[in-house]
Amino acid sequence: MSLNAPLDVICQLLPGLHMSYMDDTQLIVVDHAMRILAVVPGKQIDLGLKIGEVAPSGTVSERALKAGRVLKDERDASAFGVPYQSVAIPIMQDNEAVGVLAVVTSTQARQAMQLAEQDLWQHAEHLAATAEETHAAVTHLKETFDMLARQASVIQDGMASTEQFTDAGSQTIQSLTVHTETLGSTMKGVGSAREALEGQVTTISQSTSLIQDIARQTNLLALNAAIEAARAGDAGRGFAVVAEEVKKLSEGSRDATRHIEETIAGIGSRLVELSQAVAAAQTAQAAEHEMSQKVSANFLDIGAAVRETAQALHAIHDQIQAATSAIEQLTAAAALTAEQATQVSGLATRLRTQGQ
């Protein structure tokens, strides 16, 4: 048999043999002198060796040729620009290595696969943790929205009571306004009566002055009559008695008119005080009426604001109910995501274990 017969067979079978490798692989056949007999490059890996050239010394193929056994070696990308693993298989004839079949496989894809598996595992772990956090956050959010829904219901009930209170307050203010207007009318009547009384007091005062004038004149006439009666002697004694009685009547009239004047003066003082009190009451009534009008307007505004707030709270309550429903769906989705993340994490772990 020719010395190169096994090598020739391997070289002929090399293309078919290359097809059996799924990874990016280059096949190289060298003879006992490390001369390259055949080369089938991979998809990307190509060490740049040419048929007929002598392979570089110090390679795993050279060591396997000398040792007569299969050897493995891994190199980084510094030599040929691509990291690779080389398996040197001696081609034996009569228990002697006559050549080497070198199977050079790119480790770049394998490293990328390992990195991808590691990245997948890390992402799966992160996804699982995130899913758990999301589930917890969504659960907390649902509890918060449930609490908001309860608070909104309580506020709605409070708003209903507030609206009733506001309506009652508005009615009370309206009644107060009516009473204030009635009081104003009464105070006007008191003022009119006071003015009429002042007129009557003035008339009485004038009459009293007239009575005083008459009393003075009567007193003078009585004095003159007494003088004339004294001159007449016994004949004028009866006339003197009449003159004395007239004098007493004049003095009584004078005392009565003086008492009336004092009473009228007191009434005048009371009328002044009454006039001041009526003026103050009218001022207070006007201010109270104005204030009641403002308070009534404020109650109307408060009532409108309460009704608007109640409508807004009703809308918020509906929105909270809708959000709660959406959160329940989100909770279910988060739980499903957590379950799927756990499955992905388990798959990544198995891939990582198989890769190791």
Side-chain angles (χ1 to χ4, degrees), residues 2 16 27 43 84 128 135 216 247 284:
S2 172
L27 300 181
K43 295 179 180 179
Y84 65 91
H135 185 270
R216 282 193 296 270
K247 181 180 179 182

Side-chain angles (χ1 to χ4, degrees), residues 223-296:
L223 180 60
N224 291 330
I227 293 173
E228 293 298 329
R231 288 179 181 178
D234 292 337
R237 185 175 298 172
F239 190 70
V241 173
V242 174
E244 183 65 24
E245 292 298 327
V246 171
K247 181 180 179 182
K248 291 180 180 179
L249 180 60
S250 175
E251 291 176 352
S253 298
R254 184 179 59 194
D255 293 338
T257 54
R258 185 169 56 252
H259 180 69
I260 291 172
E261 286 180 346
E262 292 175 355
T263 302
I264 289 175
I267 292 173
S269 299
R270 297 297 181 272
L271 285 175
V272 172
E273 294 176 358
L274 177 61
S275 178
Q276 294 175 350
V278 169
Q282 287 178 337
T283 302
Q285 181 270 335
E288 184 178 356
H289 183 267
E290 182 180 0
M291 182 61 67
S292 64
Q293 292 290 338
K294 292 181 179 179
V295 173
S296 178

Side-chain angles (χ1 to χ4, degrees), residues 199-211:
Q200 292 176 357
V201 168
T202 301
T203 302
I204 293 173
S205 179
Q206 292 174 354
S207 299
T208 302
S209 298
L210 179 60
I211 292 172

Side-chain angles (χ1 to χ4, degrees), residues 120-121 123-125 127-129 131-132 334-352:
L120 176 62
W121 184 80
H123 279 78
E125 291 291 328
L127 179 61
E132 292 179 358
L336 180 60
T337 302
E339 181 180 357
Q340 293 175 348
T342 302
Q343 295 176 357
V344 172
S345 178
L347 178 60
T349 302
R350 288 196 299 272
L351 288 174
R352 189 179 183 187

